[in-house]
Amino acid sequence: MKRNFLRHINDHITVFDGAFGTMLQRKVSDPGEIPELLNISRPDIIADIHREYAAAGADVITANTFGANRAKAGERSDELIRAAVKIAREAAPDKYIALDLGPTGRLAEPAGDMSFDEAYGVFAAAVEAGSDADVILIETMSDMTELRAALLAAREHSDKPVLATMTFAENGRTFTGVSAECFALTASPLADVIGVNCSLGPKELLPIVGKLVTLTDKPVIVQPNAGLPDSRGNYGVGAAEFAEYAEKFLDLGVRIVGGCCGTTPEHISRLASLAKGRKPLPSRYIPRAGVCSATKAVFIDGVRVIGERINPTGKKAMKAALIAGDYDYAAKQAVEQTEAGADILDVNAGLPEIDEKSVLPELVRRVCRVTDLPLQIDTSDPIAAENALRVYPGKAVINSVNGEERSLSSVLPLAAKYGAAVVTLTVDERGVPKTADERVAIADKIIARARTYGVPERDIYVDCLTLTVGAEQEQALLTLEAIRRVRAAHPEVHAVLGVSNVSFGLPARRAINSAFLTAAMWAGLDLPILNPNLPENMQAVRAFNVLTCRDRGCAEWSARYANADIAITESRSSAAPSSSDGNDLHALVVKGLPAADETRRLLESGSAPLDIVNGMLIPALGEIGDAYEAGKAFLPQLLASADSAKESFSVIRERMPSAAGGKGVVVLATVKGDVHDIGKNIAATVLENYGYTVVDLGKNVPPEDVVSAVRAHSAKLCGLSALMTTTVPHMAETISLLRSECPSCRIMVGGAVLTEDYAKKIGADYYCKDALADVRIAAEVYGK
């Protein structure tokens, strides 16, 4: 019946029946605590009520199952539900029969003590017990977690049409604070029909319905009470007045009308007469990009800041807290970012030491307890993402999907299923694109693929990638160009960017970040991921809003900064140190300057090649390495010094071929699934400069290829790198295979997501905190 029902509501005004409890009280003096028990003890009374509504002209008869769930009816639940559907079917064989799912009577997390899984189990059992119904009506909901549990249970245990209604107070919110905006954003992707019922009479519901029809692309159902009850419980809105308001609802584009508390077959008869021969009006839906928590909707109609602090990457305190199971630290970060002006919070639990699949949903729960901001679920593990999405009481952002087939086919279905927005990284199997053309092409590919899953463009947030200018200076301009082109080609798509990555390895990072943020916003960035606790970040956003007239009358700026003395404070850092101020080889390498000519001069003047290596190159690399570890030198200096030393060593090789790689062979690889190779590249350069032969297998290397290379080169040492938490299992897999096939080979591992303890846990011999550690390990293994 699913297809027929949906076609019917598309072509006709559809009428549901009215109040069941009101009618039951007329027939039974004491219906009991669980009226659904009458489905067994007095099925004749239940059938009589259904027949009266059917005779009145209702198109849909609602089975007497509102309170028959296991939370209320206990072990007899399934029996009561099956009986109710059977009674309704026999009483009104030519009508659609609706399985009625009401609240459990308990408050769900994060506000209450009923878990999502508990609620889901209750509704899943009810849906299966009521499988003979034609449609599923989830009604009188006030809590977002409970509503989502019911919706997902209905979707995952049935293929029938699903209608979802919440009950609102005159302030436009449910009992737990859900707004019409949050309800529409969350429920529209999961339900076939959404709407309102109960609590208020038709007059009081009219403004809420007027708003709701603009917020959803789904048909809207309205089932008001017959007014507000008096002190005796009598409802004051008669059938004629009820029908007058119903006509107002239909004029707004509502397609389904019915009645709730206080309504009778007379009310429904009036609705049926009103609906006869009347066609539904066009939808008034106004598409808007937005995400929400249970109580706060954030529409992407300007620059919206995504707070980055609940993420262990590069944050020692957050990392330690997550490993220790200390969710309070994350909660404090959530509060601080909320107070600082963030609009959305990124939530990441990606650490190899913890079970992300269980920690991430728990982290989401804890954060939702202390802030009403929408969340961005940040993980590359689809299982962890889905676990978090299930418990999240709103419409979330998934961070992220990329252009790889595996990512597209695993993440986009999650976005479609849960109605989430999704961050799309412009990277694919080939790695990080170096040109704007490539990034735009990947964005086009992902957007087109997302459409096939039903993900609208307004829910796609394209990340054109922020690369560090310290290593690849021209990439900032290419990122800005890519943002402009993507936004121009896809006006409904939004642009997201991790701003602070641009300055990695540089001194005075905050000044670079602020300048790049401003440039990116002018290029079209509307979802910057940044630290809102840094004043200059929020100042840049608010200044942009002033200059683009989003802050009308400069009101917000004036309110915040009328008495402020604003200045961006430069971070103080010394230049890379040097033990020599001259142009000798040591100084050139430390400064990262060209060293070939000075190396040749030294060789021509009689310096021994090994004396140059051991007396100048190695001490220079050690000095810059120490400075880097102490925070006095930065990534660009480290890379430049490594390149300088490599240039010098190439000249030395020409004069002393036997010395090239004479210390031993080291096989290096970034493990399968990981396309980040900067750490591996640094290690390769440094090892070569120290006289080791490096067999660099590149990135995204399968375990079998690593084993083959170790065998082919009889290598005694293999180095594995991983930067993403999701690829650490491939590292463990590679180690296991090496142990089995090449037991004499020692294994060192490194990467931002690893720790020394975890390295031991996955079977590595050594943990490399930095590139220089590789050299020390190689010296130990080869004794050179």
Side-chain angles (χ1 to χ4, degrees):
M1 294 292 287
K2 175 179 180 179
R3 184 174 158 197
N4 292 339
F5 177 79
L6 295 180
R7 185 187 302 129
H8 181 86
I9 65 174
N10 187 59
D11 298 333
H12 306 84
I13 298 300
T14 301
V15 179
F16 262 65
D17 53 9
F20 196 89
T22 299
M23 294 296 292
L24 191 60
Q25 287 173 348
R26 291 183 178 183
K27 298 176 179 294
V28 181
S29 58
D30 182 14
E33 184 178 348
I34 304 177
E36 289 77 12
L37 288 172
L38 294 173
N39 296 335
I40 304 298
S41 61
R42 294 297 306 273
D44 55 318
I45 296 176
I46 307 303
D48 283 346
I49 296 173
H50 291 327
R51 280 191 285 265
E52 288 185 53
Y53 278 122
D59 299 301
V60 183
I61 299 300
T62 307
N64 183 32
T65 57
F66 178 82
N69 59 69
R70 291 180 178 179
K72 289 182 175 179
E75 61 184 18
R76 299 198 67 182
S77 172
D78 292 0
E79 177 190 9
L80 297 176
I81 291 172
R82 285 193 290 268
V85 174
K86 183 174 184 292
I87 293 167
R89 175 77 68 202
E90 293 176 350
D94 59 340
K95 306 292 185 180
Y96 294 103
I97 305 302
L99 172 66
D100 189 3
L101 302 181
T104 62
R106 294 175 59 190
L107 191 60
E109 60 187 10
D113 63 354
M114 181 176 64
S115 72
F116 173 88
D117 289 339
E118 285 182 275
Y120 177 88
V122 168
F123 292 119
V127 168
E128 292 185 352
S131 61
D132 288 340
D134 302 312
V135 300
I136 298 171
L137 173 65
I138 302 167
E139 65 160 319
T140 323
M141 291 288 172
S142 64
D143 179 81
M144 189 70 88
T145 298
E146 188 172 33
L147 172 67
R148 291 186 73 258
L151 281 167
L152 288 169
R155 283 299 186 207
E156 294 172 355
H157 292 264
S158 171
D159 62 353
K160 303 181 189 305
V162 179
L163 301 85
T165 64
M166 298 197 85
T167 177
F168 291 86
E170 288 187 79
N171 65 358
R173 291 183 178 268
T174 71
F175 169 71
T176 62
V178 179
S179 67
E181 290 85 353
C182 296
F183 170 49
L185 284 169
T186 304
S188 295
L190 298 172
D192 296 296
V193 178
I194 75 167
V196 297
N197 81 299
C198 205
S199 288
L200 301 175
K203 179 181 178 180
E204 293 77 19
L205 276 182
L206 193 59
I208 297 173
V209 174
K211 179 187 292 185
L212 187 63
V213 294
T214 69
L215 294 169
T216 182
D217 59 346
K218 295 299 176 66
V220 172
I221 177 174
V222 180
Q223 292 181 288
N225 288 348
L228 300 175
D230 59 22
S231 58
R232 296 183 178 180
N234 297 316
Y235 292 84
V237 176
E241 184 182 356
F242 193 84
E244 289 176 7
Y245 278 103
E247 188 161 15
K248 297 180 188 293
F249 291 132
L250 298 181
D251 289 341
L252 291 173
V254 170
R255 295 190 183 184
I256 305 174
V257 290
C260 203
C261 301
T263 57
T264 65
E266 185 180 356
H267 290 80
I268 301 308
S269 178
R270 292 286 187 132
L271 296 183
S273 296
L274 184 66
K276 190 174 183 179
R278 185 162 180 159
K279 294 291 183 181
L281 294 178
S283 170
R284 294 195 178 192
Y285 173 53
I286 302 172
R288 299 174 69 189
V291 292
C292 69
S293 64
T295 56
K296 184 179 181 67
V298 172
F299 291 101
I300 318 302
D301 50 8
V303 177
R304 299 297 186 185
V305 172
I306 302 175
E308 68 179 7
R309 298 298 299 167
I310 307 175
N311 186 328
T313 304
K315 302 176 182 66
K316 292 182 179 179
M318 180 64 70
K319 182 176 181 178
L322 289 177
I323 292 174
D326 177 12
Y327 296 101
D328 290 342
Y329 183 81
K332 291 176 183 176
Q333 290 292 326
V335 171
E336 287 181 6
Q337 292 182 98
T338 302
E339 293 175 345
D343 299 293
I344 301 166
L345 297 182
D346 184 86
V347 177
N348 182 302
L351 287 172
E353 296 92 341
I354 62 178
D355 178 13
E356 188 182 9
K357 296 175 180 62
S358 61
V359 171
L360 186 59
E362 182 60 26
L363 184 59
V364 166
R365 292 186 191 99
R366 299 297 186 94
V367 171
C368 286
R369 290 177 185 173
V370 297
T371 181
D372 63 353
L373 293 187
L375 300 187
Q376 176 169 279
I377 309 300
D378 187 357
T379 177
S380 51
D381 183 336
I383 296 176
E386 181 159 25
N387 290 350
L389 287 168
R390 290 184 77 79
V391 303
Y392 179 66
K395 176 179 178 179
V397 185
I398 304 173
N399 184 11
S400 58
V401 67
N402 61 51
E404 295 186 35
E405 177 57 34
R406 180 179 59 180
S407 179
L408 293 170
S409 60
S410 62
V411 178
L412 290 177
L414 293 180
K417 177 179 178 178
Y418 293 96
V422 61
V423 171
T424 64
L425 301 178
T426 51
V427 62
D428 59 17
E429 294 88 348
R430 297 166 296 178
V432 178
K434 298 302 182 182
T435 68
D437 286 343
E438 291 175 296
R439 295 180 203 183
V440 172
I442 295 173
D444 290 340
K445 171 186 173 181
I446 299 174
I447 292 167
R449 187 67 173 276
R451 287 196 210 103
T452 67
Y453 287 99
V455 179
E457 288 196 7
R458 62 181 174 275
D459 283 341
I460 299 173
Y461 306 160
V462 176
D463 187 339
C464 291
L465 306 178
T466 306
L467 303 182
T468 173
V469 294
E472 301 175 273
Q473 193 166 1
E474 73 284 354
Q475 286 299 320
L477 294 175
L478 296 179
T479 295
L480 299 179
E481 179 188 348
I483 292 173
R484 292 189 192 97
R485 290 172 57 182
V486 169
R487 294 299 306 271
H490 305 280
E492 289 190 25
V493 163
H494 298 273
V496 64
L497 211 58
V499 174
S500 62
N501 295 342
V502 75
S503 65
F504 182 72
L506 288 171
R509 293 187 63 187
R510 290 163 63 172
I512 293 288
N513 295 346
S514 181
F516 181 63
L517 169 60
T518 299
M521 288 188 292
W522 283 107
L525 173 66
D526 51 1
L527 288 163
I529 303 174
L530 49 79
N531 182 357
N533 298 333
L534 298 179
E536 62 270 20
N537 284 340
M538 298 309 296
Q539 289 161 8
V541 171
R542 291 168 184 143
F544 178 80
N545 288 337
V546 168
L547 297 175
T548 55
C549 300
R550 288 180 172 87
D551 181 3
R552 302 303 301 180
C554 309
E556 182 184 4
W557 182 270
S558 299
R560 286 185 176 272
Y561 302 121
N563 301 311
D565 180 16
I566 296 176
I568 295 179
T569 303
E570 293 279 339
S571 300
R572 294 185 178 182
S573 62
S574 62
S578 174
S579 61
S580 172
D581 293 328
N583 289 322
D584 62 22
L585 184 59
H586 180 284
L588 291 172
V589 171
V590 169
K591 294 176 180 179
L593 298 175
D597 289 345
E598 177 62 14
T599 303
R600 291 190 186 96
R601 189 192 67 78
L602 289 170
L603 289 170
E604 290 170 359
S605 66
S607 296
L610 284 179
D611 289 344
I612 296 174
V613 172
N614 295 324
M616 295 184 180
L617 295 183
I618 291 177
L621 288 170
E623 184 173 331
I624 191 67
D626 291 342
Y628 179 75
E629 289 183 357
K632 295 179 180 179
F634 302 90
L635 181 61
Q637 287 86 41
L638 186 64
L639 288 172
S641 293
D643 286 341
S644 178
K646 185 176 183 179
E647 182 182 281
S648 176
F649 197 75
S650 295
V651 174
I652 293 173
R653 280 179 179 156
E654 296 172 1
R655 299 292 182 93
M656 193 181 66
S658 60
K663 290 186 175 181
V665 177
V666 182
V667 173
L668 296 181
T670 298
V671 298
K672 179 181 176 181
D674 207 315
V675 295
H676 300 84
D677 61 356
I678 188 168
K680 175 199 49 86
N681 292 343
I682 293 171
T685 300
V686 173
L687 283 165
E688 286 178 344
N689 294 338
Y690 276 83
Y692 296 94
T693 297
V694 173
V695 179
D696 188 346
L697 301 180
K699 54 195 175 185
N700 192 22
V701 182
E704 298 80 9
D705 291 357
V706 176
V707 170
S708 295
V710 169
R711 280 177 173 168
H713 296 277
S714 301
K716 294 181 180 179
L717 180 62
C718 177
L720 304 175
S721 175
L723 190 64
M724 300 188 297
T725 55
T726 53
T727 58
V728 173
H730 293 304
M731 179 178 280
E733 180 185 353
T734 305
I735 292 172
S736 177
L737 192 60
L738 280 168
R739 292 287 184 227
S740 172
E741 303 295 328
C742 307
S744 63
C745 180
R746 309 297 292 276
I747 303 165
M748 59 183 178
V749 298
V753 297
L754 293 172
T755 64
E756 186 168 6
D757 288 342
Y758 196 75
K760 293 178 180 178
K761 183 178 180 180
I762 61 177
D765 297 298
Y766 304 100
Y767 164 66
C768 303
K769 182 180 180 182
D770 52 48
L772 295 179
D774 300 56
V775 176
R776 292 190 290 269
I777 292 165
E780 178 182 329
V781 171
Y782 283 104
K784 300 177 182 180

